[in-house]
Amino acid sequence: QQPVQSPQAVILREGEDAVINCSSSKALYSVHWYRQKHGEAPVFLMILLKGGEQKGHDKISASFNEKKQQSSLYLTASQLSYSGTYFCGTEIRNAGNMLTFGGGTRLMVKP
Amino acid sequence: DVKVTQSSRYLVKRTGEKVFLECVQDMDHENMFWYRQDPGLGLRLIYFSYDVKMKEKGDIPEGYSVSREKKERFSLILESASTNQTSMYLCATTYGPPGELFFGEGSRLTVL
């Protein structure tokens, strides 16, 4: 039941944009996004609870298309500090409080 | 600040040994989760618990069991450790329906 993330890895230059996608085969109740830096625990970025919801955090934003069971994370004008692995977590409808994560997207931002 | 403490950062065990990984949180959160993290596979859910003595299987429960006798403590048990259970184990907690997850620092287990 793990969601599928794409791409698996991306390399950017500072200031460039990136999009990370997350898709599920099941109807979703919510989508979470987390970032994990090397050697550290994952850190919460945002939750999207409603189909069509969009949220932003600095220059990082996300959208949730409930009908397509997909979410996308947008990183605009990337900074060196954006480097890390990004995970989407999905809560499936009628599956209790279970939260499952995708395989992760490794993002590297170079000067 | 929420604090999620995992008992051991690094463990080395032998095949067949019984292994206990403990997780303690200090924020009265209802939900607690155990994930394992392996390169390329992301975070895979082993078990979760939404209340004391309640547990639900995640995606990969085989070879594991859990115990939640008190609200603040959630233990992961490997009854007979095997080499394919060598991994990083992460505990996480959240209040109510999954809101923001707070993760522990992780326990890196090596089974020889």
Side-chain angles (χ1 to χ4, degrees):
Chain A
Q1 294 186 0
Q2 280 187 280
V4 177
Q5 284 184 238
S6 63
Q8 289 185 314
V10 60
I11 300 174
L12 298 173
R13 292 282 179 194
E14 233 178 332
E16 290 182 336
D17 302 340
V19 180
I20 300 171
N21 298 303
C22 175
S23 64
S24 173
S25 59
K26 306 275 186 181
L28 299 176
Y29 178 75
S30 69
V31 179
H32 296 221
W33 286 97
Y34 291 78
R35 176 171 62 206
Q36 184 180 34
K37 293 188 178 286
H38 184 70
E40 299 179 8
V43 173
F44 172 79
L45 293 175
M46 64 191 80
I47 296 176
L48 299 104
L49 293 173
K50 297 178 187 176
E53 185 174 35
Q54 293 188 333
K55 280 194 173 180
H57 178 73
D58 257 348
K59 292 179 181 171
I60 300 175
S61 61
S63 63
F64 176 22
N65 186 323
E66 193 175 9
K67 284 186 178 179
K68 290 186 177 179
Q69 297 159 188
Q70 293 175 346
S71 177
S72 294
L73 186 72
Y74 307 94
L75 298 102
T76 306
S78 58
Q79 305 168 19
L80 295 176
S81 61
Y82 287 2
S83 293
T85 301
Y86 289 78
F87 293 99
C88 72
T90 54
E91 186 186 2
I92 296 168
R93 288 195 177 277
N94 304 318
N97 296 339
M98 191 162 122
L99 187 64
T100 55
F101 287 89
T105 297
R106 291 183 65 181
L107 177 76
M108 182 184 295
V109 181
K110 293 186 172 181
Chain B
D1 280 354
V2 174
K3 190 162 185 183
V4 182
T5 304
Q6 293 186 227
S7 53
S8 305
R9 291 295 304 274
Y10 300 95
L11 302 96
V12 179
K13 298 290 181 181
R14 296 208 175 272
T15 301
E17 280 192 85
K18 191 169 185 175
V19 181
F20 291 88
L21 298 177
E22 290 209 313
C23 176
V24 179
Q25 51 105 351
D26 66 354
M27 282 299 292
D28 204 34
H29 283 177
E30 297 169 349
N31 299 304
M32 298 187 75
F33 303 79
W34 275 107
Y35 294 92
R36 66 176 280 178
Q37 182 171 21
D38 301 287
L41 297 176
L43 299 160
R44 291 182 292 166
L45 181 63
I46 305 171
Y47 269 96
F48 72 102
S49 169
Y50 54 88
D51 202 350
V52 175
K53 297 192 186 294
M54 305 302 289
K55 60 185 179 184
E56 294 286 343
K57 292 180 180 179
D59 293 322
I60 52 163
E62 296 79 19
Y64 303 94
S65 62
V66 290
S67 172
R68 192 161 181 205
E69 296 296 319
K70 293 185 178 182
K71 192 173 185 179
E72 67 270 17
R73 188 181 299 268
F74 192 35
S75 301
L76 180 69
I77 303 155
L78 289 71
E79 292 289 342
S80 177
S82 62
T83 54
N84 63 13
Q85 292 178 310
T86 291
S87 186
M88 171 68 84
Y89 291 87
L90 287 165
C91 174
T93 77
T94 184
Y95 178 76
E100 176 180 353
L101 281 185
F102 294 88
F103 285 87
E105 292 294 314
S107 298
R108 183 167 292 283
L109 172 68
T110 301
V111 183
L112 302 174

